[in-house]
């Protein structure tokens, strides 16, 4: 019987390994395979986790396959990228709740080893500094997963954030609040967030970025039409030695030579 193998095209652009997947399921399973390989080799690894619509299928896949695949989160640590300021942990739109529902409650990671910035801290700036220190104390991030905003943000690092920034508090731009308003039915998107800085993100040993859907096509094209510019935060990844950008066909639609 003939089987059709999903196609993956790959090219190094500006030092970033860019992969385009015909099949989004294959993209998710390859992204998960990197996590599986890391935790089999180093069960106590620290993983940097992301949120957003893009990662829902990723977490579902990892939660459903990790046992059979033969690895565990029992000794692993995780440090999430970001959180809205002022949302209660129980709030359905908080990233705490997102992580609990989509991932932490479905795998064997220990609660005390799964970190998300506290957007409700009394002193939010002190929380940011402490979060950055915690990442250092954990020995840094072995593998950081990232999504990308339609304006090129990574984490919640909006355009013009310095590339050496540490975990900090940000004012969200109109475009980000608009893009995320799809999750906030009949209420306002928070105006501020706490996020790992670009400098903090760049210290991860390995970075995997997922971008899916046509809404990301323009920013993916834009990021390769310039060098490195704080106007497009994701271009900072060009200075990192080990970045893989996994795209589905729609997100890659405006990359002409792939
Ligand atoms: C949010 C998050 C980012 C995420 C981006 C893309 O603003 N802070 O970390 O990468 O949105 O989200 P989505 O996957 O929903 O498009």
């Amino acid at each position: 019987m003939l089987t059709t193998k999903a196609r993956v095209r790959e090219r190094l652009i500006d030092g970033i390994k860019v992969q385009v997947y015909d099949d989004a399921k294959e993209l998710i399973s390859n992204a998960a395979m990197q996590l599986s390989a890391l935790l089999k080799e180093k069960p106590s690894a620290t993983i940097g986790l992301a949120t957003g619509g893009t990662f829902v299928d990723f977490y579902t896949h990892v939660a459903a396959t990790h046992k059979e695949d033969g690895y565990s989160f029992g000794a692993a640590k995780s440090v999430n990228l970001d959180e809205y300021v002022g949302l209660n942990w129980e709030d359905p739109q908080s990233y705490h709740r997102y992580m609990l529902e989509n991932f932490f409650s479905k795998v064997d990671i220990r609660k005390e080893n799964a970190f998300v910035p506290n957007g409700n801290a009394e002193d939010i700036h002190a929380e940011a500094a402490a979060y950055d220190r915690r990442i250092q104390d954990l020995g840094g991030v072995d593998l950081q997963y990232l999504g990308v905003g339609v304006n090129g943000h990574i984490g919640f690092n909006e355009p013009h954030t310095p590339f050496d920034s540490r975990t900090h508090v940000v004012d969200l731009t109109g475009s980000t609040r608009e893009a995320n308003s799809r999750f906030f039915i009949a209420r306002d998107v928070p105006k501020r967030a706490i996020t790992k800085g670009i400098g903090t993100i760049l210290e991860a040993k390995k970075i995997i970025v997922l971008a899916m859907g046509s809404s990301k096509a323009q920013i993916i094209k834009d990021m390769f039409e310039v060098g490195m510019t704080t106007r497009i935060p994701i271009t900072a990844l060009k200075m990192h030695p080990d970045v893989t950008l996994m795209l589905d066909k729609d997100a890659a639609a405006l990359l002409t030579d792939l």
Side-chain angles (χ1 to χ4, degrees):
M1 201 170 85
L2 275 178
T3 52
T4 324
K5 205 169 179 298
R7 284 191 52 208
V8 184
R9 286 156 281 158
E10 184 174 307
R11 226 187 102 197
L12 199 66
I13 312 179
D14 293 354
I16 295 180
K17 197 199 280 179
V18 182
Q19 299 179 333
V20 182
Y21 290 79
D22 281 349
D23 177 0
K25 284 204 189 98
E26 182 105 353
L27 186 163
I28 297 289
S29 105
N30 273 4
M33 219 148 67
Q34 308 284 334
L35 183 58
S36 155
L38 171 68
L39 287 176
K40 282 176 185 171
E41 192 200 317
K42 184 181 177 185
S44 66
T46 298
I47 41 181
L49 297 177
T51 49
T54 308
F55 277 88
V56 172
D57 289 348
F58 172 79
Y59 291 126
T60 305
H61 177 87
V62 171
T65 56
H66 71 287
K67 272 196 202 136
E68 204 181 319
D69 190 7
Y71 70 100
S72 151
F73 291 88
K77 294 119 191 163
S78 71
V79 271
N80 261 77
L81 273 173
D82 47 17
E83 177 59 289
Y84 291 107
V85 167
L87 292 194
N88 189 285
W89 290 20
E90 294 294 310
D91 191 293
Q93 301 317 330
S94 76
Y95 288 160
H96 275 85
R97 179 84 175 263
Y98 171 107
M99 289 308 299
L100 188 68
E101 283 180 1
N102 288 293
F103 194 55
F104 297 151
S105 64
K106 297 181 179 171
V107 298
D108 59 346
I109 195 159
R110 297 165 68 101
K111 219 171 58 198
E112 62 272 28
N113 287 338
F115 301 99
V116 180
N118 178 7
N120 250 337
E122 216 164 284
D123 183 341
I124 194 77
H125 298 283
E127 163 67 13
Y131 197 77
D132 216 276
R133 270 197 308 276
R134 168 164 292 143
I135 297 169
Q136 317 262 347
D137 292 348
L138 289 169
V141 169
D142 292 289
L143 172 57
Q144 174 70 56
Y145 285 94
L146 290 178
V148 59
V150 289
N151 62 358
H153 72 217
I154 48 175
F156 267 133
N157 291 284
E158 299 285 35
H160 307 297
T161 304
F163 284 175
D164 61 357
S165 50
R166 312 303 308 176
T167 302
H168 63 295
V169 179
V170 296
D171 291 325
L172 298 175
T173 61
S175 113
T176 295
R177 296 183 68 230
E178 168 66 33
N180 289 1
S181 64
R182 69 192 194 279
F183 300 115
F184 288 81
I185 312 301
R187 52 198 283 236
D188 284 344
V189 179
K191 292 195 169 64
R192 294 195 303 161
I194 179 167
T195 181
K196 281 184 190 172
I198 295 178
T200 316
I201 291 171
L202 288 174
E203 282 168 8
K205 294 191 185 79
K206 186 182 175 74
I207 298 178
I208 295 177
V209 192
L210 268 52
M212 299 166 83
S214 54
S215 66
K216 304 292 166 68
Q218 187 63 50
I219 195 66
I220 294 300
K221 175 175 188 264
D222 293 349
M223 74 177 276
F224 293 116
E225 281 183 347
V226 291
M228 277 183 259
T229 167
T230 56
R231 191 168 51 79
I232 305 179
I234 192 173
T235 61
L237 300 182
K238 295 179 187 181
M239 70 174 90
H240 190 283
D242 191 352
V243 177
T244 305
L245 173 61
M246 299 184 169
L247 306 171
D248 71 356
K249 276 186 301 191
D250 293 337
L254 301 177
L255 285 182
T256 45
D257 46 359
L258 243 166

